[in-house]
Amino acid sequence: MWPESADAKQTANTVTPLRSGLTTGSCATACAVAAARKLLFDESISCASIILPKGKIVDLPIVYLAPAGAGVLAKTIKDAGDDPDVTHGATVFVHLALSANSGMHFRAERGVGTVTRSGLALAVGEPAINPVPRQMISQHLQGIAAGADYHGGFDIGIGIENGEVLALKTMNPRLGILGGLSVLGTSGIVRPFSCSAYIASIHQGIDVAASNGYGHIAASTGNQSEDFIRGHYQLDDMALIEMGDFVGAVLKYLRRKSIAKLSICGGFGKISKLAAGHLDLHSRASNIDFMQLADWAAQAGANDALCSQVKNANTSIEALNLCDAAGLDLAAVVCNQALIQARRIVPHTTELEVWAINRRGEVVGHAGDFVAKNTALVQ
């Protein structure tokens, strides 16, 4: 889960271009290609070329290729580029065998999970191999089979070494994907810091909660905020969404996924970024706006001297503490402004509220729909 990090002021730095990587789905496709060529043509390749969904051709190294039982085992090492991907460096493998039954028969090997809850793109009981990777693998195997004049089917076992352990660092257990990781990918490419897989997990989490009858979900930015909101409402894990910095992914998704109530909970600094209109709360995408905090402090009743102190604060928590010491509720103003920003995206069919906590996990501010409807701060 994303941490509740300190939010010191930042200076502009020269940004080095980030390197893209390839998804687990692309890795599994490359392994399937290598294994199929070994099975049907007795070729031992050290590099597999695959075609991504948008037509780009990429080459992936095959680090292991050998007969295994009635089939062939092929392995590659996932390179996620500069994306903070939990599976970067993991070994993805495919155990491929010919099948007397026509078609593609996917199964999870060690390190790949199984779907146990409704609400995902896959049925309960299915291996957690998402639709696009299945399609990629199927198309490549069909092409190789045609070239070999082979008309039978394939048994495709996909695994990820140490995936059972890596999965504990993801949202899979909460989504009801048990026993390992998911084989993901929609474009075949991991865009650095786009965190598309993480956003997809957020959407899946909302889907699972809604499908299982949870009308109230809570999206949190980190461990402390989740612990608070869970305890405050006694929510089940399935109703808790680990949104990290991607509040926009939650808010925009509710335009097409109906939920009765959404609680947003985060550190005060993160909530102040939402209040300023930012939908990506990570420091790479947005900074604390201390000039804006000073304006909000003035709305809360701060005099010029205190506003000047807020403008020159090192962190948002220091600004908050300065106002608290003066008996002014800066957090209430910030939460209300965050609520206003969120409401601009979330349909009015969803009840909405915002909570802010400090670094000790204590509540410092709250705003609900009834506040936004009755305040002069509404714009």
Side-chain angles (χ1 to χ4, degrees):
M1 183 183 292
W2 298 85
E4 311 274 15
S5 57
D7 49 40
K9 289 181 178 178
Q10 302 171 11
T11 57
N13 295 308
T14 301
V15 178
T16 302
L18 299 174
R19 190 170 57 88
S20 297
L22 294 169
T23 64
T24 47
S26 293
C27 292
T29 302
C31 290
V33 165
R37 299 204 70 83
K38 180 66 175 174
L39 276 172
L40 297 177
F41 296 101
D42 197 27
E43 293 180 2
S44 295
I45 62 174
S46 59
C47 184
S49 293
I50 65 170
I51 303 173
L52 301 181
K54 293 187 177 180
K56 182 179 180 180
I57 298 175
V58 296
D59 298 326
L60 287 83
I62 302 301
V63 300
Y64 181 89
L65 182 65
V72 169
L73 181 64
K75 300 181 181 182
T76 190
I77 306 297
K78 178 173 177 177
D79 180 358
D82 290 322
D83 196 72
D85 191 313
V86 69
T87 56
H88 177 68
T91 298
V92 179
F93 64 89
V94 168
H95 187 191
L96 187 73
L98 304 181
S99 172
N101 299 317
S102 62
M104 307 290 162
H105 310 282
F106 290 92
R107 57 186 174 79
E109 294 219 354
R110 70 181 188 277
V112 168
T114 299
V115 176
T116 66
R117 290 177 181 165
S118 61
L120 298 173
L122 300 166
V124 172
E126 282 288 310
I129 304 164
N130 276 21
V132 172
R134 290 185 188 225
Q135 183 181 38
M136 288 175 63
I137 293 168
S138 297
Q139 289 174 343
H140 282 78
L141 291 182
Q142 287 165 356
I144 295 170
D149 199 27
Y150 170 67
H151 301 286
F154 291 95
D155 179 77
I156 310 157
I158 304 177
I160 301 172
E161 293 184 4
N162 202 39
E164 306 94 321
V165 176
L166 293 174
L168 300 178
K169 301 177 183 179
T170 73
M171 292 170 63
N172 274 18
R174 184 168 293 173
L175 293 172
I177 299 172
L178 303 182
L181 292 159
S182 303
V183 178
L184 300 172
T186 53
S187 67
I189 297 174
V190 177
R191 301 293 182 188
F193 292 101
S194 69
C195 295
S196 56
Y198 194 94
I199 291 172
S201 293
I202 290 172
H203 294 170
Q204 287 181 336
I206 296 171
D207 287 343
V208 168
S211 177
N212 285 273
Y214 289 86
H216 178 196
I217 63 172
S220 60
T221 59
N223 289 313
Q224 289 179 320
S225 54
E226 181 177 270
D227 287 345
F228 162 75
I229 205 72
R230 176 197 285 114
H232 183 77
Y233 285 113
Q234 298 299 302
L235 292 173
D236 292 339
D237 280 352
M238 200 184 299
L240 300 171
I241 307 300
E242 301 176 22
M243 71 175 179
D245 292 309
F246 299 108
V247 64
V250 174
L251 300 178
K252 292 176 183 177
Y253 197 61
L254 293 190
R255 288 173 172 169
R256 54 191 173 108
K257 193 70 178 184
S258 179
I259 291 290
K261 180 177 180 178
L262 170 67
S263 299
I264 297 170
C265 187
F268 176 73
K270 301 284 190 185
I271 297 302
S272 76
K273 291 183 180 183
L274 173 58
H278 298 291
L279 299 181
D280 183 343
L281 308 181
H282 194 277
S283 57
R284 70 175 181 275
S286 57
N287 296 330
I288 302 296
D289 188 339
F290 288 87
M291 292 290 289
Q292 182 65 75
L293 279 177
D295 287 344
W296 289 330
Q299 291 179 24
N303 58 26
D304 289 345
L306 180 53
C307 287
S308 179
Q309 288 181 292
V310 170
K311 288 178 186 177
N312 292 288
N314 290 320
T315 68
S316 62
I317 291 294
E318 181 183 354
L320 177 66
N321 290 340
L322 287 167
C323 289
D324 283 347
L328 303 177
D329 198 350
L330 175 61
V333 177
V334 168
C335 285
N336 191 68
Q337 289 291 345
L339 181 69
I340 291 168
Q341 295 293 345
R343 178 51 78 197
R344 287 172 175 163
I345 301 170
V346 177
H348 283 275
T349 51
T350 297
E351 182 184 348
L352 191 60
E353 66 175 356
V354 177
W355 297 83
I357 63 170
N358 60 23
R359 291 174 189 154
R360 296 185 298 276
E362 301 164 340
V363 176
V364 295
H366 172 257
D369 269 335
F370 67 96
V371 176
K373 292 173 183 175
N374 293 285
T375 177
L377 296 177
V378 175
Q379 300 172 353

